[in-house]
């Protein structure tokens, strides 16, 4: 039986079997055996190399391979630091994180209001726009039920929708910059997520308190890890379901 997941991952990467073999440092016939005989599995070092090369988890390419202990170890390796709440995260961490972005620059939140008041963050956005890095903002649809509910959960009621509108006004100078796109979503968020390439900050949401008092996970993608990719995939799902706006006043009807 063939390993169709491995085959499709190579195709999706736009590579040939020979190219994969050259990058991994094995004979092309070895790669062919890995693909066409699922019982022929690479050594562990080659599994990690393939996962890294193809941008896939080991658990995806060889789902039966990993033990619970290996999953735990990989998860621990992904965690750079845990902050008990966002208020104690160094303010400079966000612009420093995004300054390293070359391929992915994502902000997923309801308002991200505090970032909308950070001149250093704005500076980084302009620099990345000039460098051709796609910058994606996903903020809450002010009139949607999810934003209304989050306002009640935090004890600020309609204040949450007002924060979104005010943040959008603050973000006005970024609208129209090359590669910078704003979308509004109606998703129930369990975390606010801030991604820069293979690092991200996950700010949890806790019932009854503002996000600034909730924990923040600083994560990095590692071969075989699953935490980073789980959060990154959720960003993509929200992005696909959100609507593009061209100005901070393009709010339309409630979702």
């Amino acid at each position: 039986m063939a390993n169709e997941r491995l085959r499709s991952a190579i195709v999706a990467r736009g590579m040939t079997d020979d190219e994969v073999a050259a990058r991994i440092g094995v004979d092309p016939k070895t790669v062919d055996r890995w693909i066409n005989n699922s019982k022929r599995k690479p050594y562990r070092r080659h599994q990690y190399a393939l996962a890294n090369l193809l941008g896939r988890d080991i658990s995806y390419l060889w789902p039966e391979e990993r033990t619970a202990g290996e999953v735990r170890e990989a998860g621990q390796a992904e965690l750079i630091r845990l902050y008990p709440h966002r208020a104690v995260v160094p303010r400079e961490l966000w612009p420093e994180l995004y300054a390293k972005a070359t391929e992915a620059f994502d902000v997923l939140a309801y308002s991200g209001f505090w970032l909308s008041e950070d001149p250093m963050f704005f500076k980084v956005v302009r620099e990345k726009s000039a460098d051709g890095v796609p910058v994606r903002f996903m903020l809450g649809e002010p009139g949607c039920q999810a934003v209304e509910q989050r306002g009640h959960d935090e004890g600020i009621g309609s204040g949450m929708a007002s924060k979104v509108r005010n943040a959008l006004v603050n973000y006005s100078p970024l609208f129209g910059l090359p590669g910078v796109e704003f979308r509004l979503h109606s998703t129930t968020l369990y975390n606010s997520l801030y991604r820069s390439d293979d690092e991200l900050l996950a700010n949890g949401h806790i019932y009854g308190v503002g996000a600034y008092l909730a924990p923040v996970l600083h994560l990095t993608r590692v071969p075989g890890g699953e935490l980073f990719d789980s959060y990154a995939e959720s960003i993509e799902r929200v992005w696909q379901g959100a609507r593009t706006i061209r100005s901070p006043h393009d709010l339309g009807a409630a979702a």
Side-chain angles (χ1 to χ4, degrees), residues 203-233:
N203 182 190
H205 291 181
I206 297 177
Y207 182 83
V209 299
Y212 72 99
L213 290 175
V216 173
L217 301 175
H218 186 179
L219 301 174
T220 185
R221 172 182 274 147
V222 301
E226 298 181 0
L227 274 175
F228 179 94
D229 285 337
S230 293
Y231 285 116
E233 288 168 8

Side-chain angles (χ1 to χ4, degrees), residues 20-186:
V20 171
R23 293 284 296 274
I24 299 299
V26 299
D27 189 278
K29 292 181 180 179
T30 300
V31 175
D32 182 74
R33 286 193 292 269
W34 291 341
I35 294 172
N36 292 302
N37 185 351
S38 60
K39 294 182 179 180
R40 297 292 297 269
K41 298 181 179 63
Y43 291 120
R44 177 63 65 178
R45 66 180 185 276
H46 290 145
Q47 288 183 3
Y48 279 110
L50 280 165
N52 189 51
L53 174 64
L54 301 176
R56 296 286 189 172
D57 291 338
I58 289 178
S59 60
Y60 173 82
L61 297 174
W62 301 279
E64 73 280 8
E65 275 294 294
R66 307 190 69 205
T67 66
E70 289 172 330
V71 173
R72 287 194 298 269
E73 289 178 7
Q76 290 172 354
E78 289 181 277
L79 180 62
I80 295 175
R81 187 163 184 177
L82 168 63
Y83 297 92
H85 43 84
R86 198 185 72 205
V88 301
V89 177
R91 191 170 183 86
E92 63 272 14
L93 179 59
W94 269 268
E96 288 176 356
L97 180 76
Y98 283 121
K100 296 184 285 186
T102 60
E103 297 179 350
F105 186 129
D106 296 326
V107 174
L108 170 58
Y110 279 132
S111 71
F113 183 79
W114 55 280
L115 276 180
S116 77
E117 296 186 313
D118 187 341
M120 289 303 298
F121 175 71
F122 274 54
K123 179 175 181 291
V124 172
V125 172
R126 293 188 179 96
E127 290 173 349
K128 294 305 168 181
S129 170
D131 290 341
V133 178
V135 178
R136 306 190 301 179
F137 286 89
M138 289 153 270
L139 305 181
E141 189 88 53
C144 77
Q145 192 276 333
V147 168
E148 180 183 2
Q149 185 62 51
R150 184 58 193 168
H152 288 302
D153 292 347
E154 290 192 10
I156 61 174
S158 61
M160 178 58 70
S162 297
K163 284 177 64 176
V164 178
R165 294 187 181 94
N166 291 338
L168 286 167
V169 171
N170 289 349
Y171 284 128
S172 293
L174 303 181
F175 279 83
L177 290 179
V180 177
E181 186 173 353
F182 283 82
R183 292 188 182 184
L184 297 182
H185 67 85
S186 302

